[in-house]
Amino acid sequence: MAGFELDPKLAADTAEIDRWALSRVLLMEDANYPWLILVPARAGLRDFHDLASEDLPAMMAEIVRASRTLEALFDPVKLNVAALGNQVPQLHIHVIARRTDDPAWPKPVWGAAPARAYDDAARSQRIAGLHEAFTRF
Amino acid sequence: MAGFELDPKLAADTAEIDRWALSRVLLMEDANYPWLILVPARAGLRDFHDLASEDLPAMMAEIVRASRTLEALFDPVKLNVAALGNQVPQLHIHVIARRTDDPAWPKPVWGAAPARAYDDAARSQRIAGLHEAFTRF
């Protein structure tokens, strides 16, 4: 991961939960949704197809792991998985647990409702819960 | 692919371009963006992590192939890759070429602008161009 640095806007909008074989695992600072962001720790990636072919299996496995963890913890009706990056070009993959009572449903989350910051206790509790659950998937 | 049937709303909103090893390759009926949809032809899939582990390499390869084709043909500033499915639960992956002069930029495309239908000649030309380009990726 020579030369990899997390984009400053991603860093500002998230809290780091874990580091996996390929990706930094971040919690989006928006308590409206259980929302993870995976950032492959490789320099210079913009789009999904920029991933080296040898990194694709780990990328897949990590998306699946993040999805299964959110599914187990939050009983979502759908998982949304997306690499958009129109605002922050560094490749990052959103993995979001959606519920029919969340403030954006059934629309995509981006731009649908103002982000709602976690309070410190809730953030710590969520990170701890995710960190523990990752060990099971 | 026993039991697989394309969701009727997906079928109504798209035109089929090709069938790959795993996915149906569809053109979204919205001339605002070069927009492909990949639908893995497996029955009963909803979320990305529902894919069988033996199908993940093909899924990745097909996302990369679709992305590289759009990149070569349309010179996008970003590719958006997303499995959302809040409206149509059948697993389908959007692969969208984004340009800074498209009607949604820099927002996600969903809900940003009314879909603009292709006229018949433009649709046929686009499908033929994509079909030819797929042979190169």
Side-chain angles (χ1 to χ4, degrees):
Chain A
M1 45 190 93
F4 172 78
E5 284 189 53
L6 186 62
D7 177 276
K9 178 158 169 50
L10 282 178
D13 291 346
T14 64
E16 183 171 308
I17 310 174
D18 209 347
R19 295 185 179 199
W20 291 348
L22 177 62
S23 302
R24 305 286 169 91
V25 185
L26 311 175
L27 177 69
M28 183 70 169
E29 185 66 23
D30 185 350
N32 284 316
Y33 322 91
W35 183 340
L36 301 176
I37 296 181
L38 303 178
V39 185
R42 299 285 186 264
L45 302 181
R46 287 174 52 88
D47 288 319
F48 195 85
H49 67 286
D50 293 334
L51 282 160
S53 56
E54 60 266 31
D55 284 333
L56 287 175
M59 187 77 259
M60 286 304 86
E62 294 180 0
I63 291 171
V64 168
R65 187 182 184 195
S67 299
R68 291 209 172 124
T69 304
L70 293 184
E71 184 176 62
L73 290 184
F74 301 104
D75 193 29
V77 63
K78 279 293 286 185
L79 270 291
N80 292 171
V81 175
L84 303 179
N86 305 330
Q87 315 266 358
V88 172
Q90 182 176 69
L91 178 63
H92 58 286
I93 294 95
H94 302 272
V95 183
I96 310 163
R98 302 299 309 276
R99 299 178 56 105
T100 56
D101 59 358
D102 75 38
W105 183 264
K107 291 181 295 186
V109 299
W110 302 276
R116 187 162 62 84
Y118 287 96
D119 66 40
D120 288 346
R123 185 188 307 104
S124 297
Q125 186 176 28
R126 176 139 297 181
I127 289 172
L130 285 161
H131 208 276
E132 189 281 323
F134 289 150
T135 65
R136 292 184 277 125
F137 293 95
Chain B
M1 45 191 92
F4 172 79
E5 284 189 52
L6 185 63
D7 178 275
K9 177 159 168 51
L10 282 178
D13 291 347
T14 64
E16 184 173 308
I17 310 174
D18 210 349
R19 295 185 177 198
W20 292 348
L22 177 62
S23 302
R24 305 285 170 93
V25 185
L26 310 175
L27 176 70
M28 182 69 168
E29 186 67 23
D30 185 349
N32 284 316
Y33 322 92
W35 184 340
L36 301 177
I37 296 181
L38 303 178
V39 185
R42 299 284 185 266
L45 303 181
R46 287 174 53 87
D47 288 319
F48 195 85
H49 67 285
D50 294 334
L51 282 160
S53 56
E54 61 265 30
D55 284 333
L56 287 175
M59 187 78 257
M60 287 302 87
E62 294 180 0
I63 291 171
V64 168
R65 186 182 185 195
S67 298
R68 291 210 172 122
T69 302
L70 292 184
E71 184 177 62
L73 290 183
F74 301 106
D75 194 29
V77 65
K78 280 293 286 183
L79 270 290
N80 292 171
V81 175
L84 303 179
N86 304 331
Q87 315 267 359
V88 172
Q90 180 175 69
L91 178 62
H92 59 287
I93 294 95
H94 302 273
V95 183
I96 310 163
R98 301 299 309 274
R99 300 177 57 106
T100 56
D101 60 357
D102 75 38
W105 184 264
K107 292 181 295 186
V109 300
W110 302 277
R116 188 162 61 84
Y118 287 97
D119 66 40
D120 287 346
R123 184 188 308 104
S124 297
Q125 185 176 28
R126 176 139 298 180
I127 290 172
L130 285 161
H131 208 275
E132 189 282 324
F134 288 151
T135 65
R136 291 184 279 126
F137 293 94

